[in-house]
Amino acid sequence: MKTICLYFQIHQPFRLRRYRFFDIGNSHYYYDDFRNEEIFHRIAEKCYLPANRLIADLIAGSGGKFRVAFSISGTALEQMEIYSPELLDSFRELARSENVEFLAETYAHSLASLGDAEEFRAQIKKHRDEIYSLFGVRPKVFRNTELIYSDDIAEPVYESGFRGMLTEGARHVLGWKSPNRVYASAVRPQLKLLLKNDRFSEDLSARFSDRSWNEYPLTADKYIARIASTPETEQLFNLFMNYEVLGAMHTAETGIFEFFRAMPRFAEENGISFSLPSEIFRTNGAADTVSVPYPMSWVDEEKDCSSWLGNALQQEAFRQICRISGRVRLCEDRRIGQDWIYLQSSDHFYYMNTKHYNLFSPYDSPYDAFNNYMNVLSDFMLRVEAQFPESIGNEELNSLLTTIRNQAKEIKLLEKQLERLKKNERK
């Protein structure tokens, strides 16, 4: 039986205010609160709130047969709490349904997996804990920032306890293989992979409202019929996209909400079900392994990471922020920890992209984005330097970090022993 795995990404960064050279050392607040609030309210009204109502209706109207997965970055969750508590409540309502699954990702929607394995693990844990705190569920499946994946990334994901992960079904990686199967990591065969079906996903996310497209207008019955007509060996269709597809990237006037409203009915008529990622991983073995020596993502035709780290500006900014990660993790200052998370969002590096015009950038040019970010980062580094000076060598710092980690492990061990003694005493 053919099944659709529908997944939506939700992320909003904390955008930076205009931060000039003369602000360095004088002002430690970096964010454009007005722009952040305005953008979040606009997208919540056009997309998030009506889309959540639609998802709830589809679950109820299908008798529980409709299923959908979400990954929501930590920065997006924080903005929900600040700007739209009713939106967070609507996600809590969806969380109570067994038809909705929340995936884990990096808390900051960061590029940590490409440069700092320890920070990558720390953000996974932070995000996992936040999902449990807000929704009462522990994510079983991982989805990295912008579906970034490589053989090197598989190891820390597996070590973090995940046995399933979502990523891109890039042609240069798959070759003749189909994205419509479950695969396994070549370096960690116990880690299963779901690969995005680019054609069927992009029909909705990129082409749906394009009047010059030869398939326009795309209707739900035609779309489902195309899935149903694929060879019998093709049983799994991974439709991965941004949640903004519903109402923002394609406005309500394009008929996108009506399209999704009709999907479950036509899917049922064609014998096609909806499945959650964890269900697919639980019931399906891997058809083959996939080796990805170089990081891939779901962005642009290249499906690589050049949109974030493809030029000298981006690489220098990323190098600088990675350079101080060990010192930041030693800081107990709450504001430094918060700024550290916000400054790692991949959006800051995407705004420095020189490959193509960036419709979502708040800056006049990539160079403007770089200068503003580096001014902010310079001030942030001064604050970190005040707590842990550069005069403390890396060897000394690593020794200090090792001591702290060992102490943390010893504390956990003692806490477990204490808990066992208390239980024995109660008996």
Side-chain angles (χ1 to χ4, degrees), residues 125 406-424 426:
K125 183 182 184 307
N406 290 340
Q407 286 176 341
K409 287 178 182 176
E410 190 174 344
I411 289 169
K412 284 184 180 178
L413 183 62
L414 290 171
E415 285 176 346
K416 287 180 180 178
Q417 290 175 349
L418 181 61
E419 187 62 31
R420 280 199 298 269
L421 289 170
K422 286 181 178 178
K423 287 181 180 178
N424 291 335
R426 284 195 292 269

Side-chain angles (χ1 to χ4, degrees), residues 184-297:
S185 163
V187 295
R188 272 293 188 180
Q190 303 95 324
L191 180 68
K192 295 180 183 177
L193 304 172
L194 289 183
L195 310 183
K196 173 191 162 198
N197 184 303
D198 200 57
R199 174 197 168 192
F200 284 108
S201 297
E202 295 298 308
D203 281 353
L204 298 182
S205 60
R207 294 182 281 269
F208 182 82
S209 58
D210 182 2
R211 292 177 177 271
S212 65
W213 181 36
N214 60 1
E215 295 278 349
Y216 182 88
L218 182 64
T219 58
D221 58 336
K222 182 164 52 172
Y223 183 79
I224 292 296
R226 281 168 48 192
I227 292 178
S229 66
T230 56
E232 194 58 35
T233 53
E234 306 284 290
Q235 293 290 309
L236 172 61
F237 296 84
N238 300 314
L239 309 183
F240 301 165
M241 62 199 80
N242 283 299
Y243 208 25
E244 285 85 352
V245 163
L246 286 159
M249 295 168 68
H250 306 299
T251 62
E253 291 74 22
T254 65
I256 190 68
F257 286 95
E258 287 75 14
F259 177 94
F260 273 88
R261 194 174 294 279
M263 269 184 73
R265 176 166 66 88
F266 288 111
E268 186 172 17
E269 289 178 3
N270 285 272
I272 299 172
S273 65
F274 289 86
S275 298
L276 299 172
S278 59
E279 292 175 330
I280 295 169
F281 287 132
R282 188 171 62 248
T283 58
N284 291 270
D288 202 348
T289 60
V290 172
S291 178
V292 187
Y294 303 103
M296 65 177 176
S297 76

Side-chain angles (χ1 to χ4, degrees), residues 229-414:
S229 66
T230 56
E232 194 58 35
T233 53
E234 306 284 290
Q235 293 290 309
L236 172 61
F237 296 84
N238 300 314
L239 309 183
F240 301 165
M241 62 199 80
N242 283 299
Y243 208 25
E244 285 85 352
V245 163
L246 286 159
M249 295 168 68
H250 306 299
T251 62
E253 291 74 22
T254 65
I256 190 68
F257 286 95
E258 287 75 14
F259 177 94
F260 273 88
R261 194 174 294 279
M263 269 184 73
R265 176 166 66 88
F266 288 111
E268 186 172 17
E269 289 178 3
N270 285 272
I272 299 172
S273 65
F274 289 86
S275 298
L276 299 172
S278 59
E279 292 175 330
I280 295 169
F281 287 132
R282 188 171 62 248
T283 58
N284 291 270
D288 202 348
T289 60
V290 172
S291 178
V292 187
Y294 303 103
M296 65 177 176
S297 76
W298 69 350
V299 172
D300 296 337
E301 288 187 19
E302 299 89 347
K303 305 297 184 186
D304 59 13
C305 296
S306 59
S307 287
W308 303 278
L309 297 175
N311 64 42
L313 304 177
Q314 296 165 314
Q315 291 161 13
E316 174 62 13
F318 189 60
R319 186 182 72 81
Q320 290 294 339
I321 198 167
C322 287
R323 188 169 66 87
I324 59 170
S325 63
R327 297 173 194 277
V328 174
R329 282 191 287 273
L330 286 174
C331 292
E332 295 183 355
D333 186 307
R334 188 185 65 83
R335 280 290 303 278
I336 285 180
Q338 185 181 58
D339 291 337
W340 170 245
I341 288 292
Y342 295 170
L343 290 177
Q344 288 190 76
S345 290
S346 62
D347 310 71
H348 304 308
F349 302 91
Y350 192 73
Y351 300 148
M352 303 174 201
N353 187 349
T354 53
K355 288 171 61 181
H356 47 64
Y357 174 71
N358 190 338
L359 182 65
F360 303 105
S361 176
Y363 301 99
D364 294 331
S365 72
Y367 308 98
D368 188 29
F370 173 76
N371 287 333
N372 200 69
Y373 183 79
M374 292 306 290
N375 285 342
V376 169
L377 189 58
S378 295
D379 183 80
F380 179 74
M381 291 170 76
L382 286 175
R383 291 162 60 200
V384 175
E385 166 79 7
Q387 297 206 19
F388 294 95
E390 290 269 351
S391 56
I392 300 176
N394 286 335
E395 190 173 325
E396 186 179 351
L397 184 65
N398 288 333
S399 175
L400 184 58
L401 284 170
T402 301
T403 301
I404 291 171
R405 289 192 200 102
N406 290 340
Q407 286 176 341
K409 287 178 182 176
E410 190 174 344
I411 289 169
K412 284 184 180 178
L413 183 62
L414 290 171

Side-chain angles (χ1 to χ4, degrees), residues 9-16 31-33 35-40 43 48 73-80 82-83 107-110 146 244 341-351 360-363 373:
Q9 165 186 285
I10 302 170
H11 167 62
Q12 290 295 329
F14 281 91
R15 297 162 190 84
L16 304 176
Y31 311 104
D32 189 339
D33 292 334
R35 184 189 291 268
N36 287 324
E37 183 173 5
E38 186 275 326
I39 289 175
F40 197 90
I43 295 178
Y48 299 154
S73 70
T75 55
L77 290 168
E78 286 190 30
Q79 290 190 49
M80 288 181 199
I82 298 169
Y83 303 131
Y107 189 94
H109 199 77
S110 75
E146 306 296 335
E244 285 85 352
I341 288 292
Y342 295 170
L343 290 177
Q344 288 190 76
S345 290
S346 62
D347 310 71
H348 304 308
F349 302 91
Y350 192 73
Y351 300 148
F360 303 105
S361 176
Y363 301 99
Y373 183 79

